[in-house]
């Protein structure tokens, strides 16, 4: 059921966000108390949280690359409209 909701969310976001890249959506548990290790999705939620922390830590390192990619994208658009 969780994967069905995830697929529907990605389908809806694909229509709204017009980028060629696939969006990364993190799945997690947002209860006030910690998730029980016997829960079916415990490993999935734990791995997703670790990926999120890793991606947040890599943001400063990737900022220059993102700026260059944005500049290239704008240059291509300017060339098309020239």
């Amino acid at each position: 059921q969780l994967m069905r909701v995830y697929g529907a969310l990605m389908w809806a976001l694909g229509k709204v966000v017009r980028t060629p890249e696939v969006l990364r959506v993190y799945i997690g548990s947002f209860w006030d108390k910690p998730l029980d290790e016997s829960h079916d999705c415990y490993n999935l939620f734990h791995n997703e949280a670790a990926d999120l922390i890793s991606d947040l830590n890599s943001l400063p390192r990737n900022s220059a690359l993102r700026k260059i990619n944005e500049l290239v994208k704008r240059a291509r658009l300017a060339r098309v409209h020239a």
Side-chain angles (χ1 to χ4, degrees), residues 10-78:
M10 294 304 290
W11 180 264
L13 284 175
K15 293 181 178 184
V16 175
V17 179
R18 299 287 183 194
T19 61
E21 301 88 21
V22 177
L23 294 176
R24 177 71 163 103
V25 176
Y26 298 93
I27 301 171
S29 173
F30 301 100
W31 291 2
D32 292 339
K33 54 187 174 185
L35 188 63
D36 185 19
E37 290 186 26
S38 65
H39 192 274
D40 293 339
C41 297
Y42 177 79
N43 288 333
L44 174 66
F45 292 165
H46 181 71
N47 292 340
E48 289 283 307
D51 287 347
L52 176 61
I53 296 299
S54 173
D55 287 350
L56 288 175
N57 286 333
S58 71
L59 282 177
R61 289 185 300 243
N62 296 335
S63 67
L65 183 60
R66 279 195 318 275
K67 288 177 185 177
I68 291 171
N69 288 338
E70 185 66 27
L71 180 66
V72 168
K73 183 172 79 172
R74 288 175 183 235
R76 286 181 182 157
L77 284 173

